[in-house]
């Protein structure tokens, strides 16, 4: 894009003044304005031959065919919440007239950042250096940063000072404003920074795109009130806010009408869903309503905090045909003393008896977890308690993390931080144990026929597809791309530790989406 444009900076004020105050109307208005500016620039660039130089013939043809006026690339760091936010951001960018580019050589590059551990944070700084060199080649390129890292004041300060080529910074509470922020950047020089400390606003009904046509994340709540002492999330995602169940149901119904057969209900602590709503409803109550949606085949959710997991939820899971037999139940530590310091509000014994209760009610459940090694003050005895829980529960898989000191959290100022080498040794021992158990547990369905959602064409073996069982285990099997997005029966021939090799048994009845499972 060249700098010449029919858009006059002096128009900007009038355009802003005339914008509707109410959301989402305001954003649809700015989407339209951004489109107009981009279109004018693009058309001028096509006429001058600039566009051909910038994009090359192939990409230019794609832009012209799709009626787009520039390219974008989003990189997502962090958890499923961020992944879902990125889909919303993508939807807005597409409405603005951007087309997804295969690489970061794009006109609009967005990093949706994570700050849960130091290394998530460092990755972003590392890659910003590369973006700077790209921008030197294409000065009209826009670089935007959003997500959890941007909620930290010291991060924004650092970027303002040392990464001045960044164009737009926004946070986790105002992603719906992307079009307006792009408009602001296009209409003035310098970095646009808009980070909110918190919000009670949930803006619904903005455009969204999906990575997979057949499955989708659905936010049921935002933020977190738990303040585990090591965790930055409550500070960067704000207080817990639940979406109205009607809105959630409406969204899932429209996803299903659009071809989705699996949803993942998302929240930092789904078990406390609904508590703050005017007409309170439990998470189990919400699941009962979601279950009734015709055409929806699989329901997943994440994450369950053990302290709030109710008997009602276990019952609903047990009786459900659609809720997947998988529960992610973060342990964090097996030592009751450390759990207390972590402010997790359960003991080792309570956790184990909860697991017993779940396994008794749903014997084929697959359990996964998160564990932190090296929390301040963790002794060898504390660590052995964690190993003990791992051996007793026998998780299908466990995400293991080395404790990372996050500025501003209570644990960061605890004095007895554990030396790095000690933590590393414990971490390796834990990983070995977790992997050995997982290899045994994951293979338990070998020799049976199971329903698999065919999700991707396998990159490594030609003619093969990759799918997932209800319990989330990966299965590779021979099959054509026409099966993608459908549930198929697969014989699990062999377990290879973390995944199966299988053979297709029969194709699902054609017409797929609105078939209820018998
Ligand atoms: N809400 C979820 C977790 C979200 S963060 C829950 O409560 O389970 C995902 C995982 O990152 C956590 O479960 C924890 O294991 C890990 N984590 C969070 N803060 C961390 C820190 N400071 N250091 C290391 N791991 C951390
Ligand atoms: Fe962090 Fe705890 Fe909230 Fe999970 S529940 S996001 S670990 S504070
Ligand atoms: Fe990271 Fe934010 Fe998720 S800090 S883990 S992206 S909520």
């Amino acid at each position: 894009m060249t700098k010449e444009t029919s858009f006059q900076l002096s128009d900007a004020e009038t355009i802003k003044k005339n914008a509707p105050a109410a959301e989402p109307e305001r954003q649809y208005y700015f989407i339209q304005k951004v489109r107009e500016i981009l279109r004018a620039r693009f058309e001028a660039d096509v006429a001058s031959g600039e566009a051909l130089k910038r994009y090359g013939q192939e990409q230019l043809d794609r832009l012209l065919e799709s009626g787009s006026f520039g390219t974008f690339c989003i990189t997502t760091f962090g958890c499923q919440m961020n992944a879902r936010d990125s889909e919303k951001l993508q939807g807005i960018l597409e409405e603005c007239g951007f087309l997804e580019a295969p690489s970061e050589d794009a006109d609009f590059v967005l990093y949706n950042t994570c700050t849960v551990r130091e290394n998530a944070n460092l990755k972003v700084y590392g890659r910003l250096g590369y973006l700077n060199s790209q921008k030197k080649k294409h000065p009209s390129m826009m670089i935007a940063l959003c997500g959890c890292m941007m909620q930290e004041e010291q991060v924004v300060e650092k970027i303002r000072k040392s990464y001045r080529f960044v164009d737009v910074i926004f946070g986790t509470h105002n992603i719906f404003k992307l079009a307006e922020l792009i408009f602001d950047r296009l209409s003035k020089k310098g970095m646009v920074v808009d980070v909110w400390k918190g919000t009670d606003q949930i803006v619904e009904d903005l455009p969204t795109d999906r990575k997979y046509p057949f499955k989708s994340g659905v936010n049921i709540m935002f933020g977190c009130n738990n303040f585990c002492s090591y965790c930055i999330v409550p500070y960067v995602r704000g207080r817990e806010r639940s979406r109205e169940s009607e809105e959630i149901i409406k969204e899932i119904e429209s996803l299903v009408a659009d071809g989705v057969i699996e949803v993942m209900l998302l929240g930092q602590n789904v078990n406390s869903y609904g508590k703050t709503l005017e007409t309170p409803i439990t998470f189990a109550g919400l699941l009962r309503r979601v279950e009734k949606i015709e055409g929806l085949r699989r329901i997943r959710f994440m994450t369950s905090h053990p302290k709030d997991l109710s008997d009602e939820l276990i019952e609903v899971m047990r009786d459900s045909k659609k809720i997947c037999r998988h529960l992610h139940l973060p342990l964090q530590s097996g030592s009751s003393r450390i759990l207390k310091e972590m402010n997790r509000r359960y003991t080792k014994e309570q956790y184990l008896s909860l697991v017993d209760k779940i396994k008794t009610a749903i014997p084929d459940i697959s359990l996964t977890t998160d564990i932190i090694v090296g929390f301040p003050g963790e002794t060898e005895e504390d660590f052995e308690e964690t190993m003990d829980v791992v051996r007793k529960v026998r998780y299908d898989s466990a995400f293991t993390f080395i404790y990372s000191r996050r500025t501003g959290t209570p644990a960061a100022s605890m004095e007895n931080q554990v030396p790095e080498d000690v933590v590393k040794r414990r971490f390796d021992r834990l990983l070995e144990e977790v992997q050995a158990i997982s290899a045994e547990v994951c293979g338990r369905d070998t020799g049976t026929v199971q329903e698999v959602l065919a999700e991707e064409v396998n990159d490594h073996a030609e003619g093969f597809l990759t799918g997932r069982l209800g319990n989330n285990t990966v299965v590779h099997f021979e099959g054509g791309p026409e099966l993608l997005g459908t549930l198929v029966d697969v014989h699990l021939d062999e377990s290879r530790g973390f995944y199966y090799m299988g053979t297709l048994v029969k194709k699902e009845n054609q017409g797929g989406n609105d078939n209820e499972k018998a």
Side-chain angles (χ1 to χ4, degrees):
M1 280 185 275
T2 55
K3 294 218 175 59
E4 284 80 27
T5 162
S6 58
F7 172 66
Q8 299 295 316
L9 294 190
S10 54
D11 295 342
E13 267 176 41
T14 325
I15 291 174
K16 280 235 61 139
K17 234 184 11 230
N18 291 339
E23 299 293 4
E25 293 76 10
R26 184 177 175 88
Q27 295 314 311
Y28 279 102
Y29 171 91
F30 281 110
I31 285 173
Q32 222 32 58
K33 297 299 166 197
V34 170
R35 272 189 84 84
E36 286 164 22
I37 301 169
L38 294 180
R39 174 191 284 147
R41 285 186 169 190
F42 181 68
E43 284 172 356
D45 285 355
V46 171
S48 70
E50 225 8 80
L52 183 60
K53 266 197 263 164
R54 167 81 180 100
Y55 302 110
Q57 192 64 55
E58 199 181 317
Q59 184 149 258
L60 181 58
D61 287 346
R62 280 181 59 225
L63 284 166
L64 291 166
E65 268 162 33
S66 61
S68 314
F69 320 117
T71 54
F72 78 91
C73 178
I74 303 180
T75 305
T76 310
F77 302 84
C79 66
Q80 312 254 6
M81 321 276 157
N82 259 19
R84 183 63 182 148
D85 285 351
S86 288
E87 294 187 337
K88 295 177 183 170
L89 293 161
Q90 169 153 357
I92 296 172
L93 288 176
E94 284 168 350
E95 289 292 311
C96 286
F98 287 106
L99 178 72
E100 190 168 14
S103 75
E104 285 181 352
D105 182 13
D107 298 314
F108 192 90
V109 176
L110 175 61
Y111 281 179
N112 191 3
T113 63
C114 169
T115 188
V116 78
R117 286 170 293 275
E118 183 71 17
N119 50 4
N121 208 290
L122 293 175
K123 260 190 231 158
V124 171
Y125 290 121
R127 290 178 61 156
L128 274 177
Y130 166 74
L131 280 192
N132 191 20
S133 64
Q134 290 291 102
K135 190 166 177 167
K136 283 194 179 126
K137 280 190 256 165
H138 303 292
S140 62
M141 172 180 175
M142 272 194 273
I143 298 171
L145 302 175
C146 68
C148 297
M149 233 176 118
M150 300 306 127
Q151 292 295 138
E152 296 181 281
E153 269 169 41
Q154 73 276 18
V155 169
V156 175
E157 268 327 295
K158 180 165 169 172
I159 292 166
R160 272 189 206 270
K161 257 218 302 271
S162 314
Y163 298 84
R164 295 167 64 154
F165 54 89
V166 170
D167 294 283
V168 181
I169 295 180
F170 56 106
T172 56
H173 302 296
N174 57 347
I175 58 165
F176 69 89
K177 264 189 82 175
L178 178 60
E180 183 171 352
L181 298 172
I182 296 177
F183 176 83
D184 289 348
R185 179 63 190 92
L186 289 170
S187 59
K188 72 173 186 122
K189 277 198 161 38
M191 199 185 279
V192 171
V193 180
D194 190 5
V195 179
W196 299 0
K197 282 217 153 56
T199 186
D200 46 19
Q201 201 177 358
I202 298 179
V203 179
E204 304 274 356
D205 297 329
L206 276 157
T208 318
D209 197 4
R210 289 196 306 278
K211 192 167 165 215
Y212 298 93
F214 49 85
K215 66 171 186 176
S216 180
V218 173
N219 297 109
I220 63 166
M221 59 204 300
F222 302 95
C224 182
N225 283 355
N226 288 313
F227 290 95
C228 302
S229 64
Y230 51 82
C231 184
I232 194 89
V233 171
Y235 305 89
V236 295
R237 285 276 170 176
R239 291 299 60 73
E240 191 177 292
R241 304 168 303 284
S242 293
R243 283 176 75 195
E244 292 292 341
S245 56
E246 276 69 36
E247 292 289 346
I248 297 168
I249 301 293
K250 212 170 73 185
E251 180 179 348
I252 300 176
E253 282 171 347
S254 78
L255 286 168
V256 170
D258 195 32
V260 164
I261 59 170
E262 174 179 309
V263 290
M264 163 87 88
L265 308 179
L266 297 171
Q268 291 298 352
N269 178 10
V270 292
N271 296 330
S272 72
Y273 169 78
K275 286 186 182 156
T276 52
L277 288 172
E278 253 173 53
T279 351
I281 159 172
T282 60
F283 178 55
L286 176 72
L287 280 173
R288 281 203 186 92
R289 294 193 58 185
V290 176
E291 169 108 26
K292 290 203 187 94
I293 298 175
E294 233 170 273
L296 183 66
R297 304 287 296 270
R298 279 184 170 180
I299 305 168
R300 302 184 184 280
F301 54 84
M302 231 175 152
T303 299
S304 274
H305 195 306
K307 80 177 163 64
D308 297 315
L309 200 146
S310 66
D311 290 351
E312 190 194 5
L313 175 66
I314 299 175
E315 232 168 78
V316 169
M317 283 187 84
R318 185 196 59 201
D319 299 340
S320 168
K321 292 222 163 48
K322 297 183 180 175
I323 302 173
C324 290
R325 296 298 195 240
H326 171 216
L327 194 61
H328 186 66
L329 198 61
L331 168 69
Q332 314 300 4
S333 169
S335 150
S336 297
R337 192 183 68 81
I338 293 289
L339 285 167
K340 193 161 195 310
E341 293 287 309
M342 287 178 159
N343 193 29
R344 288 291 289 181
R345 285 171 278 176
Y346 52 83
T347 60
K348 176 188 182 186
E349 291 67 33
Q350 283 165 334
Y351 185 94
L352 285 173
S353 72
L354 179 62
V355 166
D356 269 348
K357 199 154 60 172
I358 296 166
K359 283 187 169 174
T360 308
I362 315 163
D364 57 344
I365 193 92
S366 137
L367 293 172
T368 58
T369 200
D370 292 346
I371 298 169
I372 297 175
V373 182
F375 181 84
E378 183 190 76
T379 61
E380 182 57 28
E381 291 71 45
D382 292 320
F383 176 69
E384 276 303 332
E385 300 276 1
T386 300
M387 294 286 268
D388 186 44
V389 177
V390 165
R391 289 184 198 114
K392 288 197 163 112
V393 178
R394 297 177 62 77
Y395 297 104
D396 272 54
S397 72
F399 296 98
T400 49
F401 304 109
I402 287 182
Y403 167 73
S404 172
R405 205 167 173 170
R406 308 315 289 134
T407 313
T409 62
S413 48
M414 291 180 183
E415 272 162 19
N416 38 5
Q417 305 282 326
V418 185
E420 233 173 83
D421 56 327
V422 176
V423 179
K424 183 73 181 69
R425 279 199 298 277
R426 285 182 194 159
F427 181 83
D428 291 343
R429 278 162 63 200
L430 176 65
L431 195 63
E432 202 179 310
E433 189 70 56
V434 157
Q435 287 179 344
I437 293 172
S438 156
E440 289 171 27
V441 178
C442 284
R444 65 174 164 309
D445 291 325
T446 309
T448 65
V449 172
Q450 300 287 335
E451 198 171 48
V452 174
L453 175 58
E455 300 195 348
E456 275 167 18
V457 172
N458 193 310
D459 289 340
H460 305 291
E462 219 187 304
F464 275 73
L465 297 177
T466 298
R468 277 176 195 277
L469 297 178
N471 74 13
N472 217 28
T473 309
V474 168
V475 184
H476 302 296
F477 59 99
E478 208 170 340
E482 71 284 356
L483 297 178
L484 287 177
T486 64
L487 286 161
V488 289
D489 284 339
V490 175
H491 181 269
L492 306 177
D493 306 327
E494 186 195 345
S495 165
R496 302 240 176 113
F498 309 104
Y499 63 90
Y500 287 105
M501 295 307 296
T503 311
L504 193 64
V505 173
K506 72 172 171 56
K507 219 158 94 178
E508 181 192 61
N509 296 339
Q510 290 302 328
N513 295 351
D514 28 52
N515 278 333
E516 281 298 309
K517 204 177 143 193

